[in-house]
Amino acid sequence: MKTVLIANRGEIACRIIQACRKVGLRSVAVCSQSDASARHVALADDSFVLGPAPARQSYLNVDAVLKAAQDARADAIHPGYGFLSENAEFARLVEDRGMIWLGPRAETIAIMGDKGQARMAAIAAGVPVLPGSVPIRLDDAADLDALAAQVGYPLLVKATAGGGGIGMRRVDGPDDLAAVVRTAQKLAERTFGDGTVYLERFVARAHHIEIQVFGDGAGRVAVFPERDCTMQRRFQKILEETPAPGLSNAVRAEMQDAAKRLSAAQTYRSAGTVEFIFDADKGDWFFLEMNTRIQVEHRVTEMATETDLVAMQMQLAMGTLGDLAEVYPLIEQRCVIEARICAEAPEKGFLPQPGRLTRLDLPKAGDNVVVDCGLRAGDDVSPHYDSMIGKIIAKGRTRDEALDRLGRALEQTRIEGVMTNIGFLRVLLLNRDFVEGRVHTRYVDENVARLVDEMQITA
């Protein structure tokens, strides 16, 4: 393996290019016409334009990506996250054309990408799952009332092919069920090409915990310390950290063991994340889903354990990774927290704010602070893609130290030309409930008006 084509853009494409350099591989970027002068294109050893700005005509255009790989004589494709990263058919096509897919096997992606199949796989591996219904396909004449009675209210309607909270809706009683199911099905069909949904028990005070795994494809799996992604809005993560505040060592060990069993049962290959819901009221935990790709928040794990998960993906493919039992050094784990900086307006319902970055001053990176960004001053935040500008990750010997370092890094960040969520992030870091570990996944949504007011007062 000598050349890797990166089927992505922005900060994750820059991150993968960095890993390519680390292990001595040539990197090839792809881009839309609007991204032709983007940072990831400038950093790569070579680049190819896929098509117009809309994602379906560029980054989601399978034929265009495969042609670029052929023209670049790429030996491998790394999909990053989003776009085609969890497209099982694309993974199959890559390998059918003699290239290496730097990710899990296509069949694993297909199973875990279908939430119904993923639940069955978890059950088969002895991993607890939330009460849920059978899949409800578009135009099914399903007895929704009977299915809801089995699950119990409140419940969530979720797209089986969904991700990032898309197609997910809460229902508190039977009067709204049919209408919400129809709306979720239409959105899932439009977004994922699959209108199948299912019902799942809603946990009122949920903590979102995930376990990073890395498998060698032969049944051996390394598990890493958990990440807490509880601080989110509308099912979109805002802050991620390790270790999870308030999680007992017993529950932590149970989740790690469950993640390892599930991954080993799939003979999992490459990096992945097993996600769980922890019920803060009852102390129970349940399998949520498995993401068969690198995560936005993978840096949290890397900083806490002094590893390079992206480089490991490449080393596994090259046969140079070594024994997974020794995959990261036995060091004292540090506290790490990550903030996602987005071009959005919290005071306008977090509406994305595309535009030109007239100023982009980021904090200096070092041993205790890492900055991942795919943009430069003068670049545009495009309305065609995700509004995330970048992320800042800070490490400390204690959680308070990590929070303090992240707060000071955000204070040093200056962005002009577009509105951002930096002020909102700073309010969250000082929020007493967050500092004392009393938040849940709906905390921001329930308190957003007060939090925005605090942001505007301190601006």
Side-chain angles (χ1 to χ4, degrees):
M1 191 169 82
K2 296 180 179 180
T3 300
V4 177
L5 181 133
I6 301 150
N8 218 296
R9 66 182 298 277
E11 69 89 11
I12 188 58
C14 297
R15 170 72 185 88
I16 297 166
I17 291 168
Q18 181 186 62
C20 285
R21 289 177 178 171
K22 181 176 181 178
V23 300
L25 295 173
R26 179 172 171 266
S27 61
V28 177
V30 293
C31 63
S32 64
Q33 291 169 358
S34 63
D35 273 347
S37 60
R39 183 169 182 261
H40 75 282
V41 174
L43 288 175
D45 296 310
D46 200 358
S47 64
F48 291 82
V49 177
L50 298 174
R56 290 196 175 278
Q57 299 177 54
S58 52
Y59 297 103
L60 290 173
N61 186 333
V62 170
D63 291 338
V65 174
L66 290 174
K67 184 178 186 307
Q70 180 181 3
D71 292 344
R73 297 184 179 180
D75 305 301
I77 290 182
H78 196 303
Y81 56 71
F83 293 132
L84 296 169
S85 63
E86 293 179 287
N87 185 315
E89 182 57 29
F90 179 58
R92 287 192 190 97
L93 288 171
V94 169
E95 295 191 330
D96 286 348
R97 297 194 179 199
M99 290 179 285
I100 297 167
W101 172 256
L102 291 171
R105 296 184 180 89
E107 53 266 34
T108 307
I109 297 174
I111 291 169
M112 292 302 166
D114 182 306
K115 289 184 172 59
Q117 290 191 61
R119 283 170 59 88
M120 296 304 296
I123 292 169
V127 178
V129 301
L130 279 166
S133 76
V134 297
I136 307 165
R137 292 173 176 80
L138 206 59
D139 300 325
D140 260 1
D143 188 342
L144 296 179
D145 289 336
L147 293 176
Q150 294 173 7
V151 174
Y153 290 102
L155 58 80
L156 290 174
V157 179
K158 301 176 72 172
T160 61
I166 298 172
M168 190 184 303
R169 297 290 186 274
R170 176 180 170 178
V171 181
D172 292 319
D175 293 345
D176 301 324
L177 181 62
V180 172
V181 166
R182 283 195 297 271
T183 299
Q185 286 177 323
K186 290 176 182 177
L187 179 59
E189 177 67 25
R190 186 166 64 248
T191 306
F192 307 113
D194 183 351
T196 307
V197 301
Y198 68 102
L199 312 182
E200 185 178 82
R201 175 78 55 82
F202 176 76
V203 178
R205 293 183 64 247
H207 289 207
H208 188 145
I209 310 295
E210 56 188 35
I211 304 293
Q212 177 74 54
V213 298
F214 196 101
D216 66 0
R220 291 177 290 273
V221 178
V223 295
F224 295 78
E226 82 285 353
R227 298 186 294 250
D228 187 310
C229 305
T230 297
M231 209 59 157
Q232 52 187 256
R233 59 163 184 84
R234 300 175 191 167
F235 308 109
Q236 298 283 334
K237 299 168 186 174
I238 303 174
L239 300 171
E240 299 104 351
E241 63 178 307
T242 188
L247 196 69
S248 71
N249 287 333
V251 170
R252 178 177 290 115
E254 289 171 2
M255 287 183 176
Q256 287 181 317
D257 182 63
K260 188 169 187 174
R261 288 202 314 274
L262 177 60
S263 303
Q266 299 296 314
T267 56
Y268 196 84
R269 183 185 75 188
S270 194
T273 301
V274 183
E275 304 199 357
F276 299 97
I277 285 292
F278 176 70
D279 189 330
D281 292 324
K282 299 179 181 179
D284 297 332
W285 57 271
F286 305 93
F287 171 77
L288 180 63
E289 64 183 3
M290 184 173 193
N291 290 311
T292 52
R293 52 173 167 77
I294 204 74
Q295 297 274 97
V296 176
E297 59 271 25
H298 75 277
R299 281 288 204 185
V300 172
T301 296
E302 290 183 331
M303 284 189 72
T305 59
E306 297 186 358
T307 55
D308 187 327
L309 292 165
V310 181
M312 285 171 59
Q313 291 179 293
M314 298 171 185
Q315 291 164 337
L316 177 66
M318 293 188 292
T320 60
L321 179 60
D323 189 346
L324 273 181
E326 302 172 358
V327 79
Y328 62 88
L330 296 175
I331 60 169
E332 181 184 355
Q333 184 188 346
R334 296 293 192 255
C335 297
V336 180
I337 183 166
E338 172 181 290
R340 302 187 186 195
I341 300 174
C342 298
E344 61 186 18
E347 61 269 46
K348 297 180 181 179
F350 298 93
L351 190 70
Q353 300 292 301
R356 180 152 297 174
L357 295 172
T358 57
R359 181 181 181 184
L360 181 60
D361 295 341
L362 299 170
K364 184 178 180 180
D367 291 340
N368 297 310
V369 175
V370 167
V371 179
D372 281 341
C373 185
L375 297 168
R376 301 160 297 187
D379 288 348
D380 290 329
V381 177
S382 173
H384 295 285
Y385 315 117
D386 186 88
S387 65
M388 189 171 75
I389 295 171
K391 58 198 185 188
I392 300 176
I393 312 98
K395 176 172 65 175
R397 288 166 296 180
T398 65
R399 185 171 186 257
D400 286 344
E401 188 174 61
L403 289 172
D404 181 65
R405 283 176 173 157
L406 180 57
R408 284 189 279 117
L410 289 171
E411 288 177 8
Q412 297 165 13
T413 303
R414 297 287 184 272
I415 299 176
E416 296 176 3
V418 299
M419 299 177 70
T420 75
N421 66 335
I422 291 177
F424 192 79
L425 291 170
R426 292 176 63 185
V427 166
L428 292 183
L429 292 180
L430 296 173
N431 179 273
R432 182 172 296 276
D433 290 327
F434 174 68
V435 171
E436 296 180 0
R438 295 196 303 266
V439 297
H440 50 81
T441 53
R442 294 183 299 116
Y443 182 86
V444 172
D445 293 333
E446 291 179 354
N447 296 276
V448 66
R450 175 176 59 82
L451 294 168
V452 168
D453 284 346
E454 291 177 15
M455 178 192 75
Q456 293 173 327
I457 290 170
T458 58

